[in-house]
Amino acid sequence: MDISDILSVTMGDIVEQEVDAIVNAANNSLLGGGGVDGAIHYAAGPQLLEECRTLGGCPTGEARITKGYLLPATWVIHTVGPIWKGGNFMEEKLLTDAYRNSLYLAEEHGIRSIAFPGISIGAYGFPVDRASGLAVGTVIEHLRSGSELEDVRLICFNENAYDSYSKALYEILEHI
Ligand code: AR6
């Protein structure tokens, strides 16, 4: 298996991705918000919020799945990244958990293609260079442990994020 055939870093809007599942960087309520969460709810339509109301929220680092409604994606995997509080509050473990639990949930639902935003790097303030290394490292570890995923996209919304996630991917691929 060649990781670089499966994992990619691209600039784009996650709501436009034609994949089995997109991941939402949500909050503990799962009842919507700003940033990518707001964009996903807007594009999916009000039925997404109706289904989210039935879920009873989501602890930080865990993930929940709903349908994609008006999105091109069939599913939305909602995960909650940590709020950055300086680095001593399990932020790195919780961000790793958010990626890992989203990937597990995807495998459980037979999902083959998935797109992630930069979880926690917006309103939640996680330093981009640390977040990108953790994101890429966690996805690669998952892909190497018997995954059925064929297409994993890390979608960046600005050039700064794009540079950081591409660099992390390049550096990790060079060392495996
Ligand atoms: N497609 C891809 N990436 C996007 C899009 C988009 N359409 N829109 C924004 N981003 P954030 P967080 C990028 O703040 O840090 C919400 O209010 C954005 O540029 O959306 O995990 C939730 O309800 C940034 O790089 O998520 C929570 O309360 C990245 O997505 C809180 O924000 C994540 O930024 C979660 O904060």
Side-chain angles (χ1 to χ4, degrees):
M1 179 202 36
D2 195 342
I3 299 280
S4 54
D5 290 339
I6 301 174
L7 179 57
S8 60
V9 173
T10 43
M11 283 277 278
D13 187 333
I14 204 157
V15 304
E16 292 172 1
Q17 301 300 310
E18 295 184 4
V19 283
D20 296 337
I22 62 170
V23 176
N24 183 15
N27 57 55
N28 296 125
S29 77
L30 297 186
L31 298 179
V36 72
D37 194 5
I40 290 172
H41 274 273
Y42 183 76
Q47 283 180 292
L48 178 61
L49 182 58
E50 272 177 43
E51 186 175 356
C52 284
R53 282 190 206 285
T54 68
L55 299 176
C58 179
T60 304
E62 293 190 15
R64 301 287 185 266
I65 192 164
T66 65
K67 287 183 271 184
Y69 299 99
L70 302 178
L71 290 163
T74 309
W75 303 99
V76 179
I77 293 177
H78 306 262
T79 191
V80 185
I83 298 172
W84 180 258
K85 295 175 187 160
N88 291 322
F89 293 84
M90 309 232 293
E91 293 97 324
E92 297 202 329
K93 180 194 180 289
L94 290 167
L95 187 62
T96 303
D97 287 349
Y99 279 92
R100 205 172 269 161
N101 287 321
S102 299
L103 291 161
Y104 287 151
L105 204 49
E107 305 278 1
E108 272 173 29
H109 285 76
I111 285 160
R112 295 286 180 270
S113 54
I114 185 168
F116 284 90
I119 299 166
S120 284
I121 66 166
Y124 282 1
F126 207 108
V128 178
D129 288 341
R130 287 194 193 206
S132 61
L134 287 176
V136 171
T138 305
V139 172
I140 290 179
E141 187 183 279
H142 180 88
L143 293 176
R144 296 174 93 196
S145 64
S147 162
E148 302 282 331
L149 289 162
E150 293 163 0
D151 178 2
V152 180
R153 305 177 190 176
L154 303 179
I155 305 297
C156 300
F157 208 51
N158 59 58
E159 274 187 37
N160 183 39
Y162 178 76
D163 290 346
S164 181
Y165 284 75
S166 332
K167 188 162 164 264
L169 178 58
Y170 178 78
E171 283 176 358
I172 294 180
L173 287 179
E174 262 205 325
H175 288 96
I176 56 174

